[in-house]
């Protein structure tokens, strides 16, 4: 994971804020004290010593403070765009048919392979900046549009560079098993061998991977092929996750659970066996309402069953050029509530505490507590539920990253 370093600073106060700490909204106005890049105290404002405001800088007053938002599933680094496929879908062509015709992921693969690292960085940076302006302080970026060692490495290097040059934490995920490259047509097992025998070892050795993902689906890779990828990931002590049960039920969630996956993502077709498996494994269910919306899906994830099972639900943009060209995480809050019937509190947990869990970062990210890094957002609203209630830009007053205000 990459991000900028903390610098020394005098204590700052955020006074009289409505505080959502990643789990719940506090009943009374709270005060946060930030020093040396960390939250040092959180107290009710009614109990705050008068001397604090005399001695320290009041950086913010009133409004709402939340943890920095976490987008735990994106494909931000890619070449070209797929506006023509958007048009095709509106003319009645299915996502699966577009993929079968050589479009979909493979059209982005061709554009990504043709782009230089600098080209990919230049196109990804404004997408990332849009997320940051929306309150995001941590982003997962997947590879998966290179489908060769050279081009997967290129994508991951760009993702690392974004985290080095911008005030944001970047988690990189290797998604070599995203689609079958054209040069391996009809030879999926041979391609998976390349992923396992060459790509993962080389990229792990270069410290470019934080996790490994697969696309387990009838238009992508089988359970057996995905399991081989997981076995290799575990040899290199890399956590796994899966794009599963998006278009059909291939029982990918049960496979993910056997390997203690961080998350299962999409899961529109998740069944009871999959629910019980991920409950036992502690795996997070990541909901991607942007893809559900863009693809005009009608088969909802089993939200009530997930809720009853006590499975944590994360929410992410799935920002990508094909099925979710959306780079606004706060919009996903509204979509999760209106399309999937989450409560505003569940939605906020989904982009803070549970999103951190989906990235294996629960110990450091996703909640506001004394001693933790000061990564939070100060919003010009009266109640945290407003973030999910309305779709409205320019509500972010301050974005704080490692104790420093970046917007």
């Amino acid at each position: 994971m990459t991000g900028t370093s903390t610098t020394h600073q005098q204590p700052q106060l955020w006074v009289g804020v409505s505080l959502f700490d990643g789990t719940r909204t506090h009943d009374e106005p709270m005060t946060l004290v930030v020093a040396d890049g960390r939250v040092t105290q959180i107290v009710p404002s009614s109990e705050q010593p008068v001397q604090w405001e005399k001695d320290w800088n009041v950086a913010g007053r009133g409004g709402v403070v939340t943890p920095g938002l976490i987008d735990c599933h994106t494909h931000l680094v890619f070449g070209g765009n797929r506006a023509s496929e958007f048009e095709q879908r509106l003319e009645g062509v299915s996502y699966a048919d577009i993929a079968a015709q050589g479009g979909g992921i493979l059209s982005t693969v061709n554009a990504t392979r043709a782009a230089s690292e600098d080209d990919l960085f230049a196109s990804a940076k404004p997408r990332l900046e849009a997320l940051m302006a929306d309150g995001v302080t941590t982003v997962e970026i997947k590879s998966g549009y290179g489908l060769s060692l050279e081009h997967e490495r290129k994508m991951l290097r760009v993702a690392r560079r974004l985290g080095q040059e911008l005030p944001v934490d970047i988690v990189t995920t290797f998604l070599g098993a995203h689609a079958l490259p054209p040069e391996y047509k009809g030879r999926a097992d041979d391609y998976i061998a390349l992923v396992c025998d060459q790509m993962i070892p080389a990229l792990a050795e270069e410290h470019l991977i934080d996790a490994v993902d697969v696309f387990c689906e009838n238009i992508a890779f089988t359970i057996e092929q995905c399991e081989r990828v997981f076995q290799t990931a575990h040899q290199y002590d890399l956590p796994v996750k899966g794009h599963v049960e998006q278009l059909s039920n291939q029982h990918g969630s049960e496979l993910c659970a056997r390997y203690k996956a961080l998350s299962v993502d999409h899961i529109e077709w998740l069944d009871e066996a999959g629910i019980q498996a991920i409950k036992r494994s502690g795996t997070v269910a990541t909901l991607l309402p942007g893809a559900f919306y863009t693809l005009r899906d009608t088969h909802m994830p089993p939200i009530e069953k997930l809720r009853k099972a006590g499975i944590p639900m994360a929410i992410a943009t799935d920002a990508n050029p094909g099925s979710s060209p959306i780079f606004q995480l706060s919009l996903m809050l509204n979509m999760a509530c209106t399309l999937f019937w989450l409560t505003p509190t569940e939605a906020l947990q989904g982009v803070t505490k549970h999103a951190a869990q989906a990235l294996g970062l629960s110990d450091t990210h996703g909640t506001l507590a004394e001693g933790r890094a000061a990564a939070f957002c100060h919003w010009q609203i009266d109640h945290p539920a407003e973030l999910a209630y309305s779709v409205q830009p320019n509500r972010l007053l301050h974005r704080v990253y490692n104790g420093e205000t970046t917007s």
Side-chain angles (χ1 to χ4, degrees), residues 137-317:
T137 55
T138 302
V139 181
E140 185 235 33
I141 299 179
K142 302 179 189 292
S143 66
Y145 294 129
L147 308 186
S148 71
L149 177 56
E150 173 191 0
H151 296 296
E152 290 289 294
R153 175 188 285 124
K154 177 174 65 176
M155 292 184 68
L156 292 163
R157 283 171 54 88
V158 169
R160 287 285 198 235
R161 180 180 165 191
L162 287 164
Q164 291 161 358
E165 297 194 17
L166 296 173
V168 61
D169 286 333
I170 299 295
V171 176
T172 57
T173 296
F174 172 63
L175 182 57
H178 194 196
L180 192 63
E183 62 269 24
Y184 278 85
K185 185 176 181 180
R187 297 189 296 128
D189 285 340
D190 290 342
Y191 177 66
I192 291 298
L194 176 71
V195 167
C196 296
D197 298 341
Q198 295 186 34
M199 292 192 195
I200 292 177
L203 298 172
E205 176 68 22
E206 295 168 29
H207 303 290
L208 289 174
I209 310 176
D210 297 317
V212 172
D213 200 347
V214 296
F215 187 15
C216 185
E217 190 50 78
N218 54 21
I219 63 170
F221 296 99
T222 67
I223 286 284
E224 293 76 18
Q225 290 161 348
C226 292
E227 182 163 22
R228 184 172 178 190
V229 175
F230 284 178
Q231 290 170 343
T232 303
H234 274 209
Q235 291 174 13
Y236 290 88
D237 295 322
L238 292 166
V240 300
K241 52 179 57 183
H243 287 62
V244 294
E245 274 72 85
Q246 179 185 10
L247 307 174
S248 62
N249 185 6
Q250 301 292 313
H251 304 286
S253 295
E254 294 168 63
L255 170 67
C256 288
R258 290 203 299 274
Y259 285 84
K260 305 295 183 184
L262 292 174
S263 68
V264 290
D265 300 34
H266 287 292
I267 60 167
E268 281 85 349
W269 291 85
L270 180 66
D271 63 10
E272 185 62 30
I275 289 172
Q276 293 306 314
I278 64 174
K279 177 182 179 179
R280 290 190 297 269
S281 66
T283 299
V284 175
T286 299
L287 309 175
L288 304 172
F292 184 91
Y293 164 82
T294 300
L295 297 177
R296 295 187 172 187
D297 205 344
T298 57
H299 198 287
M300 279 183 54
I303 301 299
E304 186 56 33
K305 291 182 179 180
L306 290 167
R307 185 183 284 135
K308 288 182 177 179
I311 293 171
M313 293 180 282
I315 299 167
T317 60

Side-chain angles (χ1 to χ4, degrees), residues 349-378:
Q349 290 171 337
V351 296
T352 54
K353 179 181 179 180
H354 295 158
Q357 186 176 344
L359 296 179
L361 300 177
S362 292
D363 291 342
T364 54
H365 293 63
T367 58
L368 277 172
E370 293 178 0
R372 288 211 170 190
F376 59 86
C377 296
H378 182 209

